[in-house]
Amino acid sequence: EAGVAQSPRYKIIEKRQSVAFWCNPISGHATLYWYQQILGQGPKLLIQFQNNGVVDDSQLPKDRFSAERLKGVDSTLKIQPAKLEDSAVYLCASSRTGSGSPLHFGNGTRLTVT
Amino acid sequence: AQSVTQLDSHVSVSEGTPVLLRCNYSSSYSPSLFWYVQHPNKGLQLLLKYTSAATLVKGINGFEAEFKKSETSFHLTKPSAHMSDAAEYFCVVSDREGFKTIFGAGTRLFVKA
């Protein structure tokens, strides 16, 4: 099966600019996750979708971050305006719903905010 | 509430010697537990998972982990380290429905020749 696709692979922007990331999950995976991984740390969940509904966005900085999952398939994550501390790798993952379903990760988008 | 603690931020072993990466968890539910590996500039890859079947779980690349409910542990082991095992390893706990998935802070494994 095709893996989780993310784009772009790298992005460099200046602070206060906006940026968007795109994710295409594995076909048939109802659950989609966006994680932020700052250098030297473990991934932190930003938002989790079940189909096109939000299950958990408790750690999403909603004043600047937004995410949507159109038609329960593709998803975009947006940052507006970006801050220096947003520099990180943004990982998208998907999984089937149900007991013990592992997450399948994309290669991530490395964001550098200058 | 769920949490996961990886007891070592760095582990260094010599090639050919055993590997032990420690993970403790807490969960209000009967959890699913996973180990993922992340090589430099690569995505996260599933090593193995525990979902209430056998307590000793075998994964890829010779890794295995044992679920010990009494100790709330899920340590990752490998009998003989290889240079290609050098990477970051993450222990992950998830509730049964997958609605809450928590990553540990990670353990970086160094393998010396």
Side-chain angles (χ1 to χ4, degrees), chain A residues 1-82:
Chain A
E1 62 183 2
V4 176
Q6 287 189 250
S7 67
R9 189 77 174 89
Y10 303 93
K11 190 75 176 177
I12 301 174
I13 61 172
E14 295 181 352
K15 60 184 179 183
R16 291 188 289 275
Q17 286 186 322
S18 62
V19 64
F21 312 127
W22 173 82
C23 173
N24 186 18
I26 292 173
S27 178
H29 282 193
T31 310
L32 186 148
Y33 312 76
W34 283 103
Y35 284 88
Q36 180 193 59
Q37 187 176 20
I38 292 172
L39 187 64
Q41 299 180 18
K44 182 183 84 170
L45 181 67
L46 292 176
I47 188 166
Q48 179 177 340
F49 293 94
Q50 181 75 12
N51 296 308
N52 59 355
V54 175
V55 173
D56 184 353
D57 64 356
S58 57
Q59 298 192 90
L60 186 73
K62 298 181 185 62
D63 58 334
R64 299 184 300 106
F65 286 64
S66 64
E68 59 181 4
R69 189 178 184 193
L70 302 173
K71 302 179 182 178
V73 183
D74 292 11
S75 178
T76 56
L77 176 70
K78 296 179 181 177
I79 307 175
Q80 182 179 8

Side-chain angles (χ1 to χ4, degrees), chain B residues 24-53:
Chain B
N24 286 105
Y25 71 91
S26 101
S27 177
S28 304
Y29 312 91
S30 295
S32 294
L33 294 159
F34 308 83
W35 277 97
Y36 287 83
V37 61
Q38 187 175 36
H39 288 91
N41 299 314
K42 297 287 181 63
L44 284 143
Q45 180 185 19
L46 179 69
L47 271 180
L48 50 81
K49 68 176 184 179
Y50 165 79
T51 56
S52 83

